[in-house]
Structure formats: structure tokens, C-alpha cells
Amino acid sequence: MRDLQDASIVLEQKVLNVGADVGFATDPDGDRLSIVSNNGNAIGEEYTLVLAVKNYLNYQKSIVATNLSTSMMLESIANETIRTKIGEAHVVQKMNELNIPIGGEGNGGVILKEVHLGRDSLVAISMILSLLSSPRKSISDEISNIPQDLMIKDKILLNSKIDFDSLESIFDCDEINRLDGIKFSWSDKWIHIRKSNTEPIIRIFAEAPTKDEVDELVNTLKNYVK
């Protein structure tokens, strides 16, 4: 993930220097895309899938497949969103199972079934350029029309004493999802906690309308498990 963030920082200045309408940065294997706006700001990888889906829905109605930790911005533009476990393979499996034509993850990965069943930054670039071309709009214009919340991606060291079953009592929420770790959801915010598959850590994802609200979610969890 760090390589894509570093590339975006370099690209921000380049976009401003040359007066570009948009900048695109991909990771080394070309499966994730980060976008720099016409204002020279890296807008965050969560927007990549959202903007690609927005373009797709301009031409065809569709269910969208994504994972539990992807931004709820998708729900604001799609009629129906199907959530899966974290990981490209789980999203692809659901797309095959339900014949869903488009999906992806909030790490900048877009999957368009008619091209191939894998995250592809070039596919994402094509879809976003299409979005901007008809009618001609800037990335900043498109973002301004999407409800924006604040998202935090954090982590804590894995502690063998942490009992995931006991976490259900932390929050008084509208819905609890145990598909992959545990996710607490309300109408306008959520927090998702899961063990990493690659590192000895617990990953924390949270999204809410304000910084105070998202900080409260994360701090409540951290205070409980420390």
C-alpha cells in the first residue's frame, strides 16, 4: 500500500506543475489505482471504485460487489451493494455466484467482469476518463456530488487474549456482521475489526460523518482491548 501512497505524493506536484486535469498512479503490478485531482490533491483510493462504478451506472443499472471494509460511499450511488469478506478472491467469487458485472475493493482495485475477473488499474483509468468526458467535468466536480464521510484505517498488535465474541458488547449499533471479523453498523457510520491474514495485527476500519465520531469509534475499541 505504501508504494501507491508515495507515488501519489510525487504525482500531486506534477499535476500542479503541468496543469493536468487528472493524475493516475498505479502500484507495481498494476491492479490498484490512486487518483490525483485537478487541484493537485490525492483524493484517496476509496474514490477509485466509487468513480468507476458511477461511470458504469451511467450506462447500465447493476448490483455492485465489494468487501466489508470499503467505504459506504458506494451505497450512495448504487441501488444495491453486496458485501463480502476482505480479499479480491472473495469479491470475484460473489461476482461469479450472482453474475455481478462490476466490483472491487476500497484499496483502489476495480474489477470489470467483461474484461476479466481481476483488479485492473488500466480498466479503472478508462472508466474514470469516460466519466469525466461526457459531459466534461473535473474530478473535483464529480467528488463534490458524492456524500463524503471521514474514513480511518488503523491497526493494533494482535493479542491472543482478545476475544472477538466479547466485542459484541462494546457498541449499541443497528447491525452486527460476523462474516469476516466483526463489523458494527449504524445508518451513517460503521467500524470493522478483523485479524490480518498477513501480519500479527488486528486491522481497524471506521467511517463516520465527522472526525469526532470516527475517532470515538476507534478509541472506544482500542480502550476496550488494551
Side-chain angles (χ1 to χ4, degrees):
M1 181 67 76
R2 189 67 200 171
D3 51 6
L4 193 53
Q5 292 172 346
D6 291 343
S8 298
I9 292 171
V10 174
L11 188 59
E12 286 179 325
Q13 190 59 50
K14 178 61 71 174
V15 167
L16 290 177
N17 288 345
V18 302
D21 294 322
V22 63
F24 297 116
T26 71
D27 61 341
D29 59 354
D31 67 344
R32 294 184 292 116
L33 176 71
S34 179
I35 303 167
V36 173
S37 76
N38 50 297
N39 296 324
N41 298 317
I43 64 176
E45 287 126 29
E46 291 291 333
Y47 276 102
T48 300
L49 178 60
V50 173
L51 293 170
V53 167
K54 190 173 183 182
N55 174 73
Y56 190 89
L57 296 178
N58 282 340
Y59 301 96
Q60 181 176 332
K61 292 182 178 180
S62 173
I63 300 172
V64 180
T66 192
N67 67 40
L68 287 171
S69 291
T70 295
S71 172
M72 59 186 174
M73 287 189 291
L74 274 179
E75 274 79 3
S76 71
I77 64 171
N79 291 330
E80 185 177 356
T81 302
I82 302 294
R83 299 276 176 169
T84 75
K85 290 182 178 181
I86 309 302
E88 178 183 13
H90 296 295
V91 177
V92 168
Q93 180 181 5
K94 188 60 66 173
M95 290 174 69
N96 270 328
E97 178 185 331
L98 300 180
N99 195 27
I100 298 172
I102 188 167
E105 300 183 286
N107 58 9
V110 174
I111 306 169
L112 187 61
K113 190 175 183 180
E114 67 182 81
V115 179
H116 66 95
L117 283 169
R119 297 181 310 200
D120 193 317
S121 61
L122 294 180
V123 168
I125 289 171
S126 298
M127 298 181 77
I128 291 164
L129 289 177
S130 175
L131 178 68
L132 301 181
S133 66
S134 181
R136 184 174 173 81
K137 291 184 179 180
S138 69
I139 283 285
S140 298
D141 290 337
E142 289 293 348
I143 291 173
S144 68
N145 292 323
I146 300 171
Q148 298 176 44
D149 293 307
L150 182 64
M151 190 170 183
I152 286 180
K153 300 180 181 182
D154 205 342
K155 59 187 177 182
I156 55 177
L157 289 176
L158 181 60
N159 185 336
S160 60
K161 296 180 180 179
I162 296 176
D163 178 7
F164 267 66
D165 290 333
S166 72
L167 297 181
E168 291 191 4
S169 62
I170 302 179
F171 298 104
D172 181 15
C173 63
D174 297 335
E175 180 185 355
I176 294 177
N177 188 313
R178 298 299 303 266
L179 179 65
D180 189 354
I182 184 167
K183 181 177 181 179
F184 303 91
S185 298
W186 296 259
S187 61
D188 62 345
K189 60 186 178 182
W190 57 272
I191 181 168
H192 183 204
I193 308 109
R194 62 181 290 272
K195 295 178 182 178
S196 170
N197 293 326
T198 58
E199 301 176 71
I201 59 174
I202 291 177
R203 298 195 182 279
I204 305 169
F205 304 82
E207 187 176 24
T210 67
K211 185 178 187 303
D212 287 344
E213 289 176 282
V214 78
D215 283 345
E216 182 181 3
L217 290 174
V218 173
N219 291 334
T220 297
L221 171 70
K222 286 186 171 181
N223 290 334
Y224 183 85
V225 300
K226 70 180 180 180

